[in-house]
Amino acid sequence: MQAFVLTGPTAVGKGTVIAELRKEMPDLWFSISATTRAPRPGEVDGVNYFFVTHEEFDRLVAEGQMLEWAVVHGLNKYGTPRGPVDEALAQGRTVLLEVDLAGARQIRESMPEAAQIFLAPPSWEELEARLRGRGTESAEEQRRRLETAKVELAAEGEFDEVVVNITVAQATEDILKIMAEGR
Ligand code: 5GP
């Protein structure tokens, strides 16, 4: 099995690093999550996420179609549809799942062979600066995300690998190396 889990606090740069990884490794299969959150400007349904209603999300969970799911930042539900992951693994693809801490913990139970990578910021101050600089969340939402980040950073020791995102290029290289070793 070649499954990798990537977890990290808000604004640490997961999206940018994942985009680089996909460029460097075109055969990497990246799981598109379902979420009840509203799309941000530019986000496309079926590309960034499957944007679903709370009712649809609950139905997917009830039908056992989620590999894992969680309420993230105390607000919206996010989950990994199980079918596409199983299919990609059956095809021998290298699979990458981006999930929050609760999701990573669930996958540790259900898919213990998946390697778990934590993407960490160089410092707390840098994380706050990146979140503010991004400017896509309200002050209230930023506060909530930083609360979650504290909990996530405290759990970094649970992960198989910790990659510090000082530069995107270095973090990408580190993760590519982990993936190459895991194969
Ligand atoms: P955002 O709203 O910024 O797109 O995502 C917020 C957070 O939701 C991400 O940082 C990630 O930790 C988490 N997340 C995204 N997709 C999933 C998923 O499928 N499952 C879980 N458990 N968390 C997810």
Side-chain angles (χ1 to χ4, degrees), residues 5 68 97 99 103-112 114 116:
V5 171
E68 60 73 38
L97 309 173
V99 299
R105 286 174 171 162
Q106 289 171 50
I107 293 172
R108 214 171 287 152
E109 295 296 318
S110 62
M111 215 191 250
Q116 301 220 338

Side-chain angles (χ1 to χ4, degrees), residues 58-94:
D58 293 346
R59 183 181 57 78
L60 292 168
V61 172
E63 289 175 352
Q65 293 195 46
M66 290 297 193
L67 177 62
E68 60 73 38
W69 70 276
V71 176
V72 181
H73 305 307
L75 206 57
N76 280 298
K77 293 173 184 168
Y78 294 74
T80 306
R82 183 192 299 275
V85 174
D86 289 344
E87 241 170 73
L89 288 171
Q91 289 169 4
R93 307 277 301 266
T94 298

Side-chain angles (χ1 to χ4, degrees), residues 47-63:
V47 175
N48 305 91
Y49 282 104
F50 295 109
F51 295 100
V52 299
T53 62
H54 282 273
E55 291 70 31
E56 282 170 321
F57 195 101
D58 293 346
R59 183 181 57 78
L60 292 168
V61 172
E63 289 175 352

